[in-house]
Amino acid sequence: MLAAMRRDSLWWHQEFRRLWAGQTVGQFGTYVGQTVLPLLAVTVLGASAWEMGVLTAAGTAAFLLVGLPAGVLVDRVRRKPVMVAADLGRAVLLVSVPIAAWAEALTFVQLIGVALLVSVATVLFDVAYQSYLPSLVGRGQLMEGNTRLQSSLSAAEVVGPGVGGGLAQLVGAASAALTTAISYLLSGLLLLRIRTAEPRPVGRGGGRVGALVKEGLKFVLGETSLRAITLSTALSNLAVTVLVSMQILFLTRDLGLTPGAVGMVLALSSVGGLVGALSAGRCAKWIGPVRAVWLIPLVISPLALVVPLAEPGWLTVLCVLGLALRAYGTTVFNVVNVSYRQAICPDRLLGRVNATVRFITWGAMPVGGLLGGALGSWIGVRTTLWVACSVLALTPLPLLLSPLRTLREFPMVQEGEALART
């Protein structure tokens, strides 16, 4: 019988299916928005390379601004209400974009403000959901749970850009932004249907915020392999965000694509992520889950160097190929490295550890956005892509220099042992 249909599979876990459904709908809206909002900035507001970099930075700036305190909050409260509030907040914020556009009052400043506040809600949601999963499904099913959640994200990466680009061309980018708001509303309503009582937070109680933040930092930076994974991911996110900040400009101005064609290119490129999500579990089983953490980036990351070789016409396929391979490697890496982190971390620290990792790794993104905008204005869009892809090719180095190369299975540290190590 297929693994997905085994009675012990999460396929039969009703509460996980509700989490999965909510996350799927929310991710669909996220990737529609990641196509629509930059198109809105370029086609309606006439954004420059620098402004596109600022917009990209605003979309991830909250990981630097509130990432560490968010971990303290998530460890002190039940996590499902945080996720629901984050979804509803994002819906309200994004509704303001089409309303302002219909009133002919939309400005670039408003777009930046919405992107920044949405990123705050996204920080809270992401830290909460990664910390919520172990208590919902148990640590023994983390790999399957993360694989299914990553599959949804990858499917959204495939469908979302195409839908976003198509809607932007048919009804305008501002009206298409409404789809993102609706998706977050639906996600919040689906999460509300989860009925399983969430355990009382073990991190609840006193303690100074600074001391609690320090405890999470100490765990992440003190665990050698986790430190290497975090550094590699941060470098990768920095390079990828430089690339993404110039991606729409490259496709529209250098390659001469229409909004609909841009959506199609991004959708086709994201097929690699979907393939990665569907094969991550088997890949990890075949070569070992820990070995997959360093071997997949080593093989895949340098292949992104074909992206800047793309030209108008049939050579656009090089951009699709390079982005698809990068998406495949990133997706498999994400499944195994998040499962590794959840397996070795005690529950009372999980919110802070997830937040610390996000603070470091996603905190590199606003830096990458601003750097991409500056480089794009200074040395040009295509040369900026060469810089980004060259850095991406070097990101496996911290993993190769870590103890990960000698491991095959997750350590599965026991709660008491993990606490002693912090």
Side-chain angles (χ1 to χ4, degrees), residues 153 157 219 360 403:
L153 186 151
E157 282 186 294
F219 186 92
I360 297 171

Side-chain angles (χ1 to χ4, degrees), residues 295-355:
L295 185 58
I296 294 297
L298 178 65
V299 174
I300 298 297
S301 294
L303 299 179
L305 286 164
V306 303
V307 172
L309 295 174
E311 297 286 351
W314 71 269
L315 283 177
T316 299
V317 73
L318 292 176
C319 184
V320 175
L321 179 63
L323 293 175
L325 289 170
R326 184 203 65 78
Y328 173 84
T330 298
T331 302
V332 176
F333 177 77
N334 284 343
V335 169
V336 292
N337 99 74
V338 169
S339 299
Y340 179 88
R341 183 164 75 242
Q342 291 169 331
I344 68 169
C345 181
D347 188 70
R348 77 175 194 91
L349 277 172
L350 196 51
R352 280 169 284 163
V353 167
N354 283 329

Side-chain angles (χ1 to χ4, degrees), residues 250-258 312:
F250 182 64
L251 293 172
T252 56
R253 297 180 185 176
D254 288 60
L255 302 187
L257 301 181
T258 65

Side-chain angles (χ1 to χ4, degrees), residues 162-218:
V163 171
L167 286 173
Q169 190 156 345
L170 288 173
V171 300
S175 298
L178 189 61
T179 304
T180 303
I182 293 172
S183 74
Y184 286 134
L185 174 62
L186 292 176
S187 175
L189 294 176
L190 285 166
L191 293 175
L192 279 173
R193 297 189 62 214
I194 297 176
R195 301 302 182 193
T196 299
E198 189 176 349
R200 186 176 183 270
V202 291
R204 192 174 181 177
R208 294 181 179 178
V209 172
L212 295 172
V213 166
K214 184 178 178 180
E215 193 175 10
L217 280 166
K218 186 177 179 181

Side-chain angles (χ1 to χ4, degrees), residues 105-228:
L106 181 66
T107 64
F108 190 73
V109 172
Q110 180 186 344
L111 210 57
I112 292 294
V114 168
L116 181 60
L117 292 174
V118 166
S119 77
V120 172
T122 298
V123 169
L124 293 170
F125 183 93
D126 286 356
V127 172
Y129 113 77
Q130 288 192 349
S131 305
Y132 181 60
L133 183 64
S135 66
L136 186 68
V137 304
R139 294 180 187 250
Q141 292 183 293
L142 285 175
M143 182 66 74
E144 183 185 354
N146 283 315
T147 298
R148 293 187 183 279
L149 292 168
Q150 189 67 46
S151 297
S152 295
L153 186 151
S154 299
E157 282 186 294
V158 174
V159 177
V163 171
L167 286 173
Q169 190 156 345
L170 288 173
V171 300
S175 298
L178 189 61
T179 304
T180 303
I182 293 172
S183 74
Y184 286 134
L185 174 62
L186 292 176
S187 175
L189 294 176
L190 285 166
L191 293 175
L192 279 173
R193 297 189 62 214
I194 297 176
R195 301 302 182 193
T196 299
E198 189 176 349
R200 186 176 183 270
V202 291
R204 192 174 181 177
R208 294 181 179 178
V209 172
L212 295 172
V213 166
K214 184 178 178 180
E215 193 175 10
L217 280 166
K218 186 177 179 181
F219 186 92
V220 173
L221 299 180
E223 215 282 335
T224 308
S225 296
L226 183 56
R227 183 173 67 239

